Amino acid sequence: MHRTVVLAGASGFIGSYFKQRFLEEGWQVRTVGRGASADAQWNDDGAITKALDGAELLVNLAGRSVNCRYDDRHRREILESRVLTTRTLGLAVAACAEPPRTWINSSTGTIYRHAEDHPQSEASGELGHGFSVDVARAWEEELAAADIPATRKVPLRIAIVLGPGGGVMGPFRNLARLGLGGHMGPGTQKFSWIHVEDLFRTVLFVHERPELTGPVNAASPYPVDNRELMSLVRQSMGVPFGIPTPAWLLEAGAVLIRTQTELVLKSRWVEPRKLLDAGFAFDYPCLTGALNQIANPTRSLT
């Protein structure tokens, strides 16, 4: 008998990868989304409950991209795309006769403060301030509010996800290609990341270990600073040098391309302490291997 997973928000880079990998692992996959191909639409509560009933695992990846300027409309869309979808799923799980035993809900490593002094673990990490942190808090609070005692709820605090054909590497690689692949701002800000394959394996690992409760950090144990990040990006592309970009120029450029400098200037130092203590082994612990795989995506993922 097939094991069944429900993927909510499965149309993006991570969701598409997860769907393929779950199918390769022999799972039956049901999806919740806005597209016509989804098994259940977000505006159909009954269909969502039907998709969830009897499923073993729910993974919610829904959320509007944060790669935009944070004007009022985008702030509202970013918040609602996370909080309202989580609320909808909570009500649907509560209506199931046979609810999933695990619900892994996306959260973000950005919930922690700007940290250059020491890593932020689940137990000792300090939450930050600002719009992105407010969104992350509201996201996790909505998950916690779901009254579903038969289902274990795990907010997965995901670092920046890298992988072939998606993630944040595109802009960095484009800058390197243009000779602008030097460090950004001071270059000392930490870059916590995870390869999409390790993120998929993390979801399976957490699902199979009921002793893992509360927030779980999903990040490589070996973050780099921005200087090393851009150096490795250049090396993976065979680009010998890159011009640094000061913070003031980044801010001007961010306005022009309608994004936020926070995405590159905030120091994210996320420590996957719960995963490491539970014995999780990363396939891509070091950024060099991850970038080489992304540059040569036909290379085996194992």
Side-chain angles (χ1 to χ4, degrees):
M1 183 176 179
H2 284 295
R3 307 172 77 182
T4 300
V5 59
V6 175
L7 295 179
S11 60
F13 157 60
I14 299 173
S16 299
Y17 187 91
F18 273 31
K19 182 177 180 179
Q20 175 187 335
R21 290 293 287 115
F22 272 113
L23 290 171
E24 289 173 355
E25 294 293 324
W27 289 66
Q28 180 182 25
V29 178
R30 302 172 188 162
T31 57
V32 180
R34 291 182 173 82
S37 63
D39 295 298
Q41 309 290 320
W42 282 114
N43 60 358
D44 189 338
D45 294 344
I48 296 174
T49 298
K50 182 179 179 182
L52 288 166
D53 214 350
E56 180 179 327
L57 171 63
L58 165 60
V59 181
N60 180 25
L61 303 166
R64 187 202 189 282
S65 171
V66 297
N67 188 17
C68 61
R69 294 299 289 177
Y70 290 167
D71 58 31
D72 289 344
R73 178 173 67 87
H74 288 148
R75 285 172 182 261
R76 184 178 65 254
E77 291 174 352
I78 288 168
L79 178 64
E80 291 182 351
S81 67
R82 288 157 173 76
V83 172
L84 297 184
T85 52
T86 300
R87 183 177 305 165
T88 295
L89 291 171
L91 294 172
V93 171
C96 287
E98 188 182 348
R101 77 169 192 253
T102 309
W103 174 4
I104 296 176
N105 206 67
S106 293
S107 182
T108 172
T110 301
I111 198 169
Y112 298 111
R113 65 170 174 84
H114 178 102
E116 296 187 37
D117 50 350
H118 60 78
Q120 307 293 296
S121 72
E122 297 92 343
S124 64
E126 302 162 77
L127 303 192
H129 303 281
F131 171 68
S132 297
V133 175
D134 291 343
V135 170
R137 285 176 179 266
W139 206 357
E140 293 191 6
E141 287 167 1
E142 194 63 46
L143 177 66
D147 187 12
I148 46 174
T151 300
R152 177 172 55 115
K153 301 174 293 184
V154 178
L156 197 61
R157 293 177 175 172
I158 303 171
I160 293 171
V161 182
L162 310 181
V168 302
M169 280 297 103
F172 290 145
R173 289 166 62 85
N174 289 338
L175 287 170
R177 194 173 288 115
L178 294 170
L180 300 173
H183 65 81
M184 300 172 177
T188 55
Q189 64 273 28
K190 290 290 187 178
F191 178 81
S192 279
W193 60 277
I194 187 169
H195 192 285
V196 66
E197 174 66 12
D198 278 331
L199 182 61
F200 171 74
R201 294 177 57 248
T202 292
V203 165
L204 291 180
F205 186 87
V206 171
H207 173 53
E208 297 293 352
R209 286 162 179 78
E211 69 275 13
L212 288 176
T213 59
V216 173
N217 289 344
S220 160
Y222 301 117
V224 296
D225 64 23
N226 183 264
R227 286 178 182 272
E228 185 176 358
L229 165 67
M230 296 312 298
S231 175
L232 291 172
V233 169
R234 296 194 306 271
Q235 288 177 33
S236 73
M237 298 179 63
V239 175
F241 68 89
I243 300 172
T245 311
W248 67 266
L249 186 56
L250 279 173
E251 183 57 48
V255 172
L256 290 174
I257 63 175
R258 305 194 64 76
T259 189
Q260 293 290 137
T261 56
E262 177 193 44
L263 300 177
V264 294
L265 292 181
K266 180 173 180 177
S267 187
R268 297 170 172 84
W269 195 348
V270 183
E271 180 182 36
R273 179 45 48 199
K274 285 186 178 179
L275 288 178
L276 294 175
D277 287 349
F280 183 79
F282 288 81
D283 280 351
Y284 294 95
C286 298
L287 188 57
T288 301
L291 292 179
N292 287 341
Q293 192 278 324
I294 292 166
N296 301 279
T298 57
R299 186 175 298 172
S300 173
L301 285 169
T302 58

